[in-house]
């Protein structure tokens, strides 16, 4: 998955980005009137942990949603997106 990584101590930064993404996504409408959000996939309490870091998912598997997500990210945040292997 693609993700922005945060230290486990930086819950404030993780939550701030999640909130910014969530508020932006609420203004977007997808197929059949579906409204996007970020609160169900990016809560710090439920975050995927990779190498002791919190993962904020920014997957590109859904191009429209990914485009909306990129609209809200700063260039620095876009540059920090990394590929994170997911283990089951």
């Amino acid at each position: 998955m693609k993700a922005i990584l945060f230290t486990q101590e930086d819950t404030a930064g993780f939550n701030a980005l999640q909130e910014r993404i969530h508020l932006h996504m609420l203004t977007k409408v997808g197929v059949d009137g579906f409204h996007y959000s970020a609160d169900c996939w990016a809560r710090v309490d439920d975050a995927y942990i990779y190498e002791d870091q919190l993962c904020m998912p920014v997957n590109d598997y859904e191009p429209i949603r990914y485009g909306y997500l990129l609209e809200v990210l700063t260039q620095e945040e876009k540059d920090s997106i990394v590929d994170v292997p997911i283990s089951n």
Side-chain angles (χ1 to χ4, degrees), residues 31-75:
V31 177
D32 296 327
F34 175 79
H35 284 269
Y36 293 97
S37 76
D39 63 341
C40 62
W41 55 266
R43 286 193 299 259
V44 73
D45 294 337
D46 299 325
Y48 181 76
I49 304 294
Y50 173 70
E51 294 184 353
D52 294 325
Q53 294 185 306
L54 301 168
C55 294
M56 171 71 65
V58 290
N59 287 316
D60 58 356
Y61 59 84
E62 187 182 342
I64 294 172
R65 184 181 173 285
Y66 183 66
Y68 290 155
L69 192 140
L70 291 178
E71 289 175 359
V72 74
L73 297 179
T74 65
Q75 188 58 49

Side-chain angles (χ1 to χ4, degrees), residues 19-28 68-69 71-72:
E19 180 72 8
R20 212 170 78 231
I21 292 170
H22 176 67
L23 292 174
H24 181 73
M25 293 298 236
L26 287 176
T27 69
K28 305 301 177 182
Y68 290 155
L69 192 140
E71 289 175 359
V72 74

Side-chain angles (χ1 to χ4, degrees), residues 3-7 14 50 53-56 80-82 84:
I4 296 173
L5 302 177
F6 291 83
T7 65
F14 186 98
Y50 173 70
Q53 294 185 306
L54 301 168
C55 294
M56 171 71 65
S80 72
I81 296 172
V82 296
V84 175

